[in-house]
Amino acid sequence: MVGASAAVLALGGLDGAVGVAALVVGTLLLDVGTRSGMVANQVRIHALRAEVRSRLTTAYMTCAYLGGAVGSWLGMRAYGRFGWPGVCVLVAALTAVALTRHLSATRRRSATRRTAGRFRRSAASAAGAAGRPWQHEPP
């Protein structure tokens, strides 16, 4: 949604009603996309053990506000140097970086789970073939 907002916001540089409408729709897409991401991340944090939630929420919100500050600074620099199209390219580029990082982490987690599953299955079959030495047979 945030990536789509960059394309719509780029049309905000047009004159007239089309430009204003693009700014309104692009801003709504940007807002809904970023808030959805925030809610999804907070749901992940709150699904963890109670003793780590507070610390992780603090770290997450600190990083979110620092990221917002850096993003604002970068946006100001992009606007000063490249104008409105530069800001839209910055939004698209940062979205692409975040999406690439998310997909690579997801791929790594999937590979780790597949490998762990194969290890558990092979260990279980090896233990079964060995007669399960950890179990005591009745006399």
Side-chain angles (χ1 to χ4, degrees):
M1 206 176 267
V2 174
S5 75
V8 175
L9 285 170
L11 298 174
L14 299 175
D15 290 332
V18 173
V20 172
L23 285 175
V24 169
V25 171
T27 302
L28 288 173
L29 285 172
L30 182 65
D31 188 49
V32 170
T34 55
R35 287 180 192 265
S36 296
M38 294 280 285
V39 169
N41 288 328
Q42 288 174 329
V43 165
R44 286 186 187 116
I45 290 171
H46 286 280
L48 300 173
R49 296 183 325 242
E51 57 270 5
V52 298
R53 285 183 206 149
S54 177
R55 289 187 300 260
L56 284 178
T57 299
T58 300
Y60 175 72
M61 293 309 295
T62 300
C63 289
Y65 282 104
L66 288 173
V70 170
S72 295
W73 182 80
L74 286 172
M76 177 191 66
R77 304 289 293 180
Y79 187 79
R81 185 158 174 114
F82 304 108
W84 184 247
V87 174
C88 296
V89 168
L90 176 66
V91 170
L94 292 176
T95 302
V97 168
L99 183 60
T100 302
R101 191 246 173 246
H102 171 73
L103 292 176
S104 67
T106 302
R107 194 171 302 124
R108 263 186 269 124
R109 276 194 305 270
S110 295
T112 302
R113 286 182 185 141
R114 282 193 306 271
T115 304
R118 281 194 299 259
F119 176 74
R120 281 192 296 269
R121 284 191 299 274
S122 65
S125 63
R132 295 188 180 139
W134 63 86
Q135 292 181 346
H136 296 289
E137 294 290 326

